[in-house]
Every structure is written in structure tokens, then in C-alpha cells.
């Protein structure tokens, strides 16, 4: 595979899986101590990667789950953010400015803070009440964060008696590192062609629904815009028909991500509409990826993980094709802002 270290990938994703027992133990302790809600409070891309887990809880559990922005909470607070809150703060670097600022406020509030970081010797690595460290870099962090947050959500469902097959699901998820690597290998021959689609336009409408919508948002903002300087319009598939459809015409690129959860029909609707008006519809569908031995239920849960792992292969070809390394920045962490 192009510019890819298989053993490094396995080591990082196995590290994420290896955190499951500890995350479950901490969540159980928090619930036993009387926690009454959970906040997923990341910044930027790390925040987006928490959304599928939060959505799972919002749809499956009566335990309140919130997503909010640290930069706003520092200024306003929240009536629901109290000493009985569990706060999950992901940050690959462990130094994200907005999250570090909120951490100080959380200490005052008395919330229980779980940090998910790539580096221990950092403000967030040292500042959480419970710190989970799994080294990763930009090209491997998506899968790692998706899995860690999913383990947290599943642990809440288990301890509240809102899921019957938790252990079976976790056993299947434990196989994901090797399975994801196999998906990468199988998709590699197709990755360059999809990269050519992305390189072929300077503007893309990127859309999806359900638990893969965050990956569409993430890939548009954090990869195509930040790392490739390609303009995008991420829009949820349910909102596609409330404004964005008017921009669809011949020559306009529409990128559709499809997952396997109950919200798939919303993506089907876009897929049925777009080809009538544009000649540039590209679809990336997790149902096309082989995951031997994985149940439909777990396939639905890991759809965003699958997309992330395939899009990494696409991005590896895209940066070469455009002679624009994914590490190139003009402003991000380069100037004062």
C-alpha cells in the first residue's frame, strides 16, 4: 500500500481496543457514584469523531448525552454540566487550547473528566481524572477515537441494563484492527481512482446521514479543507433537500458516504436524486467492504470507522496526485489566531 506502515496501524488500533476494559471500569465507577449525564467535549476534528457515540446514546439510552463546544462552554457554562457529569475530552496532541481552557473550568465545577489523548506528558494527559493514552497520528487517529468513544457508549448501555449483547459486540470489535487492515488492502486498487475524483474539482458537496454523517463533516473540513485546501460544503443528507440541492447541476461534484445503520434511506434519497442533475456523483458505501464474521449490528456501529480507514487510503493517493502533502499548512498551528 502507498506510504503505509501496516504494523504501525495494527499497533495503534490494537491500542485503542486494549483500552476497552479500562474505559468500561471507569464508566461503571462513575455511574455507581451517581453520575447523571455525559458530555463529549472535544475541539475540532476530535469533537466530530465523538458524535457517533453520542448519537448512539441519544437513540438507545435514557442516560442524557450531550455534545457541546469547549470554546463556548468556557464563556457560557451549561445548566446540565455539573459535579455529577461525566466529561469525555479527546485530544490527539493533549494540548488543544480550547480544551485545556475548559479543563480548568471543569475542575471548578467538579465534573469527572475522562481524557483520551495521544501523549501522556501534556496538559490534558496530566489533567484528567481518568486518562487514557493511545499514541496515534493524523492518519490513524480517526479509527482510534471512534473505537474508544464507542466503548464508552457501550459501557453506559451495559451498566444501565439497556443492551443485552454487550460482551458479544465487544468481542467482535476486538477483531477490528486486523479486519480494518484487510479492508485497506482490498480497497487499495480503487483508492487512486476515488482520489482522482477529489482532485478533479475545486469544490465538493459532501453528504451523508446517520452515524457516518460525522465522517463526511470531518473529511470535508479536516482533510479536504485543512490538509488539501479544497473547498467543500458538508451537508447532512436530511438537509440536502432544504437548500443545497439548488447548487446541483452539471459539473458539480457530489460526494456521498453511505453507512449501514437505520438512517441509510436518507443517503439512498440523495443517490436517487443527484445523477439526474450532475454527472459528478461519487459514492463510498461501507456495505461494499468485506468484514467476515461481523454481525449486521456491529457493521452498522462501525460504519464510520470503515469509512475513515478507506478514506485514509484515498488521502494517501490524493496528496501525491496533487503534490500537496497532508502535513502542509498555511495558518493552522503556524500563526497566532
Amino acid at each position: 500500500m502507498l506510504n503505509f506502515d501496516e504494523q504501525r496501524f495494527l499497533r495503534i488500533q490494537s491500542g485503542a481496543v486494549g483500552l476497552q476494559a479500562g474505559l468500561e471500569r471507569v464508566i461503571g465507577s462513575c455511574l455507581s457514584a451517581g453520575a447523571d449525564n455525559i458530555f463529549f467535549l472535544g475541539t475540532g476534528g476530535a469533537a466530530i469523531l465523538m458524535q457517533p457515540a453520542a448519537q448512539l446514546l441519544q437513540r438507545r439510552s435514557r442516560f442524557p448525552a450531550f455534545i457541546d463546544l469547549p470554546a463556548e462552554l468556557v464563556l457560557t457554562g451549561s445548566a446540565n454540566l455539573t459535579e455529577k457529569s461525566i466529561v469525555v475530552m479527546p485530544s490527539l496532541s493533549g494540548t488543544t487550547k480550547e480544551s485545556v481552557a475548559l479543563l480548568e473550568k471543569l475542575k471548578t465545577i467538579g465534573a469527572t473528566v475522562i481524557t483520551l489523548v495521544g501523549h501522556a506528558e501534556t496538559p490534558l494527559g496530566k489533567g484528567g481524572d481518568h486518562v487514557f493514552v493511545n499514541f496515534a497520528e493524523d492518519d490513524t487517529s480517526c479509527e482510534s477515537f471512534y473505537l474508544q468513544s464507542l466503548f464508552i457508549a457501550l459501557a453506559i448501555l451495559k451498566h444501565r441494563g439497556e443492551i443485552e449483547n454487550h460482551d458479544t459486540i465487544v468481542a467482535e470489535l476486538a477483531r477490528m484492527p486486523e479486519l480494518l487492515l484487510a479492508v485497506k488492502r482490498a480497497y487499495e486498487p480503487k483508492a487512486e481512482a476515488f482520489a482522482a475524483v477529489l482532485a478533479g474539482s475545486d469544490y465538493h458537496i459532501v453528504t451523508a446521514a446517520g452515524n457516518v454523517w460525522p465522517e463526511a463533516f470531518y473529511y470535508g473540513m479536516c482533510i479536504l479543507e485543512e490538509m488539501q485546501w479544497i473547498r467543500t460544503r458538508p451537508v447532512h443528507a436530511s438537509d440536502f433537500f432544504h437548500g443545497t440541492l439548488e447548487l446541483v447541476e452539471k459539473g458539480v461534484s457530489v460526494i456521498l458516504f453511505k453507512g449501514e445503520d437505520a438512517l441509510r434511506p436518507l443517503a439512498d434519497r440523495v443517490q436517487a436524486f443527484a445523477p439526474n442533475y450532475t454527472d459528478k456523483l461519487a459514492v463510498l458505501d461501507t456495505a461494499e467492504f468485506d468484514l467476515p464474521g461481523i454481525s449486521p449490528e456491529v457493521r452498522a456501529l462501525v460504519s464510520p470507522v470503515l469509512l475513515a480507514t478507506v478514506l485514509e487510503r484515498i488521502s494517501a493517493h490524493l496528496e501525491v496526485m496533487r503534490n500537496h502533502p497532508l502535513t502542509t499548512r498555511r495558518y493552522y498551528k503556524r500563526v497566532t489566531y
Side-chain angles (χ1 to χ4, degrees):
M1 285 185 279
L2 178 66
N3 295 335
F4 186 72
D5 184 333
E6 294 191 1
Q7 292 308 309
R8 170 175 163 270
F9 176 79
L10 285 176
R11 185 167 59 252
I12 290 168
Q13 306 316 326
S14 296
V17 169
L19 296 176
Q20 184 276 327
L23 289 166
E24 182 182 335
R25 184 169 56 252
V26 167
I27 291 296
S29 174
C30 290
L31 294 179
S32 297
D36 60 15
N37 63 39
I38 185 168
F39 278 76
F40 292 89
L41 298 178
T43 299
I48 297 170
L49 299 174
M50 300 292 105
Q51 290 183 17
Q55 183 189 83
L56 177 63
L57 288 172
Q58 289 164 353
R59 300 277 165 79
R60 294 278 301 272
S61 177
R62 290 188 176 275
F63 191 72
F66 299 93
I67 285 272
D68 214 321
L69 300 171
E72 292 195 352
L73 288 178
V74 166
L75 299 175
T76 66
S78 167
N80 293 299
L81 184 55
T82 72
E83 73 280 359
K84 292 186 177 182
S85 298
I86 303 168
V87 174
V88 178
M89 300 189 77
S91 171
L92 185 60
S93 68
T95 61
T96 309
K97 182 187 299 185
E98 297 89 339
S99 297
V100 171
L102 180 61
L103 182 62
E104 296 307 311
K105 187 165 187 171
L106 292 173
K107 289 180 179 179
T108 301
I109 292 171
T112 300
V113 180
I114 300 172
T115 58
L116 311 176
V117 298
H119 305 274
E121 296 301 312
T122 59
L124 291 175
K126 294 179 178 180
D129 297 301
H130 306 279
V131 179
F132 291 85
V133 182
N134 186 44
F135 171 80
E137 292 178 296
D138 285 341
D139 61 335
T140 53
S141 64
C142 286
E143 298 97 329
S144 175
F145 277 141
Y146 275 139
L147 288 169
Q148 290 177 64
S149 58
L150 179 55
F151 289 138
I152 289 171
L154 290 170
I156 290 173
L157 292 173
K158 176 181 178 178
H159 284 280
R160 288 177 50 83
E162 294 172 325
I163 189 171
E164 295 181 355
N165 58 338
H166 170 274
D167 292 350
T168 300
I169 291 173
V170 167
E172 290 189 34
L173 291 173
R175 299 181 54 214
M176 290 311 299
E178 291 282 357
L179 290 172
L180 290 172
L181 180 57
V183 168
K184 284 181 182 289
R185 288 171 177 159
Y187 190 79
E188 182 72 10
K190 302 177 183 179
E192 186 175 5
F194 204 99
V197 171
L198 297 176
S201 298
D202 60 5
Y203 167 75
H204 301 279
I205 296 170
V206 186
T207 188
N211 67 358
V212 298
W213 155 242
E215 182 60 23
F217 184 21
Y218 177 92
Y219 194 73
M221 183 177 80
C222 296
I223 309 301
L224 295 183
E225 291 184 344
E226 178 188 319
M227 299 184 184
Q228 288 293 292
W229 306 348
I230 295 174
R231 293 173 176 84
T232 70
R233 168 64 166 104
V235 59
H236 194 287
S238 66
D239 290 329
F240 183 92
F241 295 96
H242 297 274
T244 305
L245 81 167
E246 288 295 333
L247 298 178
V248 178
E249 60 183 351
K250 186 175 181 180
V252 172
S253 173
V254 178
I255 308 297
L256 173 63
F257 296 162
K258 298 183 72 174
E260 298 173 60
D261 66 7
L263 285 305
R264 185 178 173 92
L266 298 178
D268 290 337
R269 186 183 180 199
V270 175
Q271 189 170 8
F273 169 85
N276 297 310
Y277 304 99
T278 180
D279 54 344
K280 289 189 174 182
L281 171 66
V283 180
L284 198 56
D285 186 352
T286 65
E288 298 177 4
F289 308 146
D290 190 26
L291 287 179
I294 300 300
S295 64
E297 180 180 10
V298 172
R299 285 190 65 102
L301 289 174
V302 299
S303 289
V305 188
L306 288 171
L307 281 177
T309 216
V310 166
L311 284 164
E312 181 277 325
R313 288 291 76 220
I314 292 168
S315 298
H317 287 270
L318 183 63
E319 68 173 343
V320 172
M321 192 175 293
R322 300 185 72 242
N323 191 28
H324 186 125
L326 294 166
T327 53
T328 300
R329 304 287 190 281
R330 286 183 289 204
Y331 314 119
Y332 183 65
K333 295 185 178 180
R334 302 218 187 287
V335 302
T336 301
Y337 50 83

